Amino acid sequence: MSPLQEFAPIAVLLIIAVLVAIIISIISRLFGPYKPTSRKVSPYESGMKPIGSASRRYSIRFYLVAVLFILFDIEVVFFLPWAVVFRDMGLYALAAMGVFTLVLTIGLIYEWKVGALEWE
Amino acid sequence: MEAVCENIFSTLAPCLTSSGWDPSLAQFVSILLGVLLITTFPLLLALLLIWAERKVAARVQDRLGPNRVGPFGLLQNIADALKLITKEDITPAGADRIVYNMAPVIAVLSVILIWAVVPFTSTNIGADLDIGVLYFVAISSIGTLAIMMAGWSSNNKYALLGSFRVVAQLVSYEVPMVLALLVPVMIAGTMSMQGLAVHQLGMWFIFTAPVSAIIFYVSNLAETGRAPFDLIEAESELVAGYNIEYSGMKFGLFMVNEFIHAFTANALFTVLFLGAWAGPFATEVPILGFVYFMVKTALLYVPSLILRATVPRVRIDQMMAFNWKFLVPVSVVNVLVIALALKIAQGLGLTPENATDFVSNIPQTIVLLIANLVVVVFALTLVRGSVRKERLMTSGKRAEPAAGDAEQKALAATVAGH
């Protein structure tokens, strides 16, 4: 089997799943009532009139978490192929990955000490 | 022809070809039927899962739960789905319509696509990719995107706040989850789901790598938004979170997504640590493998239901601290220590020549268990350090009012002096 043929079932599954999901999501538009009023479509804010727009500034902590995640996700991407061929390689593979992880761990410890992980 | 058509589930294509069909057409029909099965199976399963959830929660709280519609209330969710279908479908004013309507579709897509690589039996799998595990990680991250889209496009403050929190939680817990599933990949030397299952015929990886199994289970609870990490549904502070503005079947899709995701995560745990379809006679009679697979997954699923009914929700700062200060360091150390132990076992010649044989797996398992003990010791030191810090902080807080009293007395004295 060619590598692309292996993905053929997934391509078919993608198409079918998208179709099924779209049909389910428009089904209540077909069977339910549809009489929008300005009260009904206003965003829910505990029964009060919404104050200002919802798109406002957000806490810097979420940004820090996202950056931290990207760093570790890249680490994981390097880890995955390494884990597959790990057995066939010598101690060098272990040492190389150890150094790579050490650099990232120092980064995590630094971020910890600086207080970027605190949510107070 | 009889020999080819013996197992209709796995050999439909050659069976149709032998009865005179065009080979490519037969291939296509068999793929299409399999895909329809894979798509409908999780959606129907969700109805059962919601019923189980309500029933277990009811029993824990000394109630009966749904018991009116159908036998044992089994048809309650079909009635609920019909109710959702006849509800009005509302798009809030100021919402980004395209993103708003796409979000539930993508949410459901992200869980259904995972089922393509789940090995149901020794012969039945949607697509046995070489990169099965990577595929799972990649597809399940799409669910995070759907939540972000839903929260951002709703033009609602609760939804936006909820989605920020949830995304922070989901991306954080993805790191220990992936690091934990590296260990089975390392031991088996393959990322293919069927390969992982075959490698566990001798010894399940939960015995060789219990620490990774626990990390994977805990981070999966967080990743799927189950209690005690169910900040996704913090109804007491965020009303409903990211899906507050959705109504009708669009809300239903988010709900279905949540339940199937929890079940899928447990199915993946079964594949990675409990040998998927492995069990007596599973290789000879494939349909038995399916039964074993489902039973194992359901046994894993029930504890998460009881947890949800009994454990209080954690705060977001506790949750993030638990992830970045405990789970991530432990899982990184876990991967490196297990790697070292595997190399030691290899050097001593303890690697099993035949992975499907139970006895030849024992020496390597013992070495890996010792490595796991080292990781547990590391984890306990980490916990001890943080507990000591917390104790110091609380005793410091207790000392503070006393200092304040002294200051006030001094102030009163100066006032009196004047």
Side-chain angles (χ1 to χ4, degrees):
Chain A
M1 238 200 271
S2 76
L4 269 181
Q5 228 172 340
E6 219 173 55
F7 282 89
I10 290 176
V12 180
L13 178 61
L14 181 67
I15 294 164
I16 299 275
V18 166
L19 283 179
V20 168
I22 287 177
I23 289 169
I24 295 177
S25 72
I26 59 171
I27 207 166
S28 32
R29 178 60 69 87
L30 296 178
F31 289 99
Y34 186 62
K35 300 184 206 79
T37 62
S38 68
R39 271 296 155 78
K40 218 186 265 175
V41 298
S42 74
Y44 175 74
E45 209 161 302
S46 309
M48 308 295 284
K49 227 177 175 180
I51 301 165
S53 163
S55 44
R56 46 197 299 177
R57 289 189 283 178
Y58 56 88
S59 174
I60 186 79
R61 293 187 200 107
F62 293 114
Y63 176 75
L64 281 176
V65 167
V67 169
L68 207 56
F69 161 70
I70 288 175
L71 284 181
F72 273 88
D73 217 34
I74 291 170
E75 179 191 9
V76 161
V77 168
F78 284 127
F79 255 122
L80 274 167
W82 171 81
V84 174
V85 294
F86 165 74
R87 289 215 158 183
D88 310 323
M89 292 171 80
L91 272 176
Y92 173 73
L94 188 60
M97 196 39 94
V99 172
F100 176 64
T101 319
L102 190 70
V103 174
L104 267 164
T105 313
I106 290 171
L108 180 68
I109 292 170
Y110 173 74
E111 194 151 357
W112 191 337
K113 292 294 169 215
V114 155
L117 300 178
E118 308 297 332
W119 279 72
E120 291 303 317
Chain B
M1 188 184 148
E2 270 68 39
V4 176
C5 290
E6 213 167 59
N7 183 354
I8 196 101
F9 288 108
S10 51
T11 56
L12 186 65
C15 171
L16 285 178
T17 316
S18 70
S19 55
W21 284 50
D22 184 52
S24 55
L25 186 70
Q27 187 79 34
F28 180 73
V29 166
S30 93
I31 287 179
L32 199 65
L33 280 179
V35 160
L36 284 176
L37 213 64
I38 288 178
T39 319
T40 44
F41 177 69
L43 291 177
L44 291 179
L45 196 65
L47 291 177
L48 196 67
L49 291 179
I50 296 171
W51 174 81
E53 170 110 20
R54 293 175 67 175
K55 212 69 177 166
V56 169
R59 287 294 171 186
V60 171
Q61 295 160 0
D62 205 10
R63 292 184 287 119
L64 282 176
N67 64 348
R68 295 280 160 174
V69 194
F72 306 108
L74 265 170
L75 300 177
Q76 179 68 49
N77 292 308
I78 295 174
D80 286 350
L82 283 175
K83 186 201 75 182
L84 277 180
I85 285 172
T86 55
K87 287 283 171 187
E88 184 167 355
D89 182 53
I90 291 173
T91 311
D96 191 321
R97 275 176 179 274
I98 298 171
V99 180
Y100 179 83
N101 290 322
M102 250 165 63
V105 173
I106 290 181
V108 164
L109 210 62
S110 74
V111 285
I112 291 181
L113 279 182
I114 295 176
W115 285 85
V117 293
V118 172
F120 293 105
T121 74
S122 55
T123 50
N124 294 95
I125 180 166
D128 191 17
L129 302 179
D130 287 338
I131 51 157
V133 171
L134 186 62
Y135 175 87
F136 160 67
V137 174
I139 296 295
S140 61
S141 327
I142 295 178
T144 316
L145 203 65
I147 289 173
M148 191 76 230
M149 285 164 70
W152 178 79
S153 66
S154 291
N155 190 28
N156 184 308
K157 283 167 199 134
Y158 288 121
L160 193 67
L161 283 175
S163 71
F164 276 146
R165 270 193 194 189
V166 170
V167 170
Q169 169 186 346
L170 295 192
V171 298
S172 300
Y173 278 83
E174 203 172 302
V175 175
M177 187 190 78
V178 180
L179 284 173
L181 63 77
L182 273 177
V183 170
V185 170
M186 223 154 45
I187 301 173
T190 174
M191 278 201 275
S192 132
M193 292 286 181
Q194 207 63 273
L196 280 164
V198 169
H199 261 271
Q200 291 177 71
L201 283 175
M203 179 78 82
W204 292 356
F205 289 152
I206 194 168
F207 299 120
T208 38
V211 172
S212 335
I214 293 169
I215 294 174
F216 190 76
Y217 193 78
V218 171
S219 45
N220 251 339
L221 280 180
E223 190 73 10
T224 54
R226 307 292 300 184
F229 306 102
D230 55 346
L231 288 161
I232 288 183
E233 290 226 9
E235 58 278 276
S236 48
E237 52 228 61
L238 285 172
V239 193
Y242 67 96
N243 57 11
I244 177 172
E245 288 292 348
Y246 285 87
S247 64
M249 229 26 217
K250 279 182 193 139
F251 169 76
L253 279 182
F254 274 119
M255 195 161 164
V256 161
N257 157 56
E258 189 185 315
F259 281 91
I260 311 175
H261 195 179
F263 195 77
T264 314
N266 286 321
L268 259 295
F269 186 97
T270 311
V271 175
L272 287 167
F273 294 102
L274 294 179
W277 39 262
F281 307 112
T283 37
E284 288 87 6
V285 191
I287 200 74
L288 261 182
F290 178 72
V291 174
Y292 293 142
F293 182 77
M294 281 297 145
V295 167
K296 283 175 197 171
T297 312
L299 282 182
L300 277 172
Y301 187 69
V302 170
S304 78
L305 297 184
I306 297 174
L307 264 181
R308 179 168 193 168
T310 47
V311 182
R313 183 179 298 139
V314 296
R315 282 201 319 264
I316 182 148
D317 62 316
Q318 293 169 332
M319 196 184 65
M320 299 311 262
F322 179 64
N323 180 60
W324 290 109
K325 296 179 181 176
F326 182 71
L327 275 187
V328 170
V330 169
S331 50
V332 169
V333 168
N334 181 36
V335 168
L336 290 180
V337 169
I338 296 282
L340 189 65
L342 272 176
K343 273 279 168 265
I344 290 171
Q346 219 173 11
L348 295 174
L350 298 177
T351 311
E353 287 129 38
N354 186 7
T356 56
D357 183 33
F358 174 69
V359 179
S360 71
N361 263 302
I362 291 176
Q364 188 192 316
T365 307
I366 291 171
V367 174
L368 288 182
L369 276 180
I370 293 169
N372 270 300
L373 264 182
V374 174
V375 179
V376 167
V377 169
F378 171 78
L380 287 180
T381 0
L382 216 59
V383 170
R384 206 175 62 166
S386 81
V387 166
R388 187 182 294 153
K389 210 171 168 188
E390 202 149 286
R391 204 180 295 141
L392 278 174
M393 270 173 74
T394 46
S395 62
K397 263 183 197 155
R398 224 173 280 142
E400 237 168 50
D405 280 357
E407 240 167 58
Q408 250 171 9
K409 265 180 203 155
L411 196 68
T414 38
V415 169
H418 282 279

